[in-house]
Amino acid sequence: MPRTLNIAIEGCCHGMLDNIYSQLLTRQKQTNKKIDLLIICGDFQAIRNVTDLGCMSCPDKYKQIGGFYRYYTGERVAPVPTIFVGGNHEAGNHSRELYYGGW
């Protein structure tokens, strides 16, 4: 029997990865279905450090270091493979380092 691929789609992340992953894991338990892939659509905010904040193109009130750095440094591991589509609140310096994307 063919296996079903379960994909979760999330809107803007705004650096709130911990909350998104927590809700995703809760949903998996409620439905008893494993999520195979998470796609985050826009404003991911892959902020690694204070330098990245200075490279964001958004009003200062939106500049904050979210939880991405914990995954970037290996302190935490994403519970599912995650792909993101950048939005207008990204750190341009980090995006340029991943010219062909990252995995």
Side-chain angles (χ1 to χ4, degrees):
M1 178 184 340
R3 185 177 175 283
T4 301
L5 183 66
N6 293 306
I7 300 173
I9 308 292
E10 172 71 32
C12 293
C13 174
H14 292 289
M16 304 300 289
L17 272 177
D18 293 335
N19 292 347
I20 292 169
Y21 288 143
S22 175
Q23 291 176 20
L24 187 72
L25 294 173
T26 298
R27 182 76 176 150
Q28 280 187 147
K29 288 178 185 175
Q30 291 172 341
T31 63
N32 200 28
K33 291 183 181 178
K34 181 183 178 297
I35 301 298
D36 299 299
L37 176 68
L38 169 62
I39 300 174
I40 299 177
C41 304
D43 290 347
F44 183 73
Q45 291 183 225
I47 307 303
R48 304 166 295 179
N49 51 47
V50 177
T51 302
D52 287 348
L53 288 177
C55 296
M56 287 180 68
S57 178
C58 67
D60 287 343
K61 68 180 181 178
Y62 296 117
K63 293 181 180 182
Q64 59 183 335
I65 296 178
F68 173 77
Y69 76 92
R70 291 184 197 96
Y71 299 92
Y72 180 78
T73 62
E75 180 183 328
R76 293 194 181 161
V77 176
V80 298
T82 304
I83 296 173
F84 78 90
V85 177
N88 62 331
H89 291 175
E90 305 302 338
N93 62 326
H94 189 196
S95 299
R96 280 189 298 277
E97 290 176 18
L98 303 169
Y99 187 77
Y100 294 107
W103 188 256

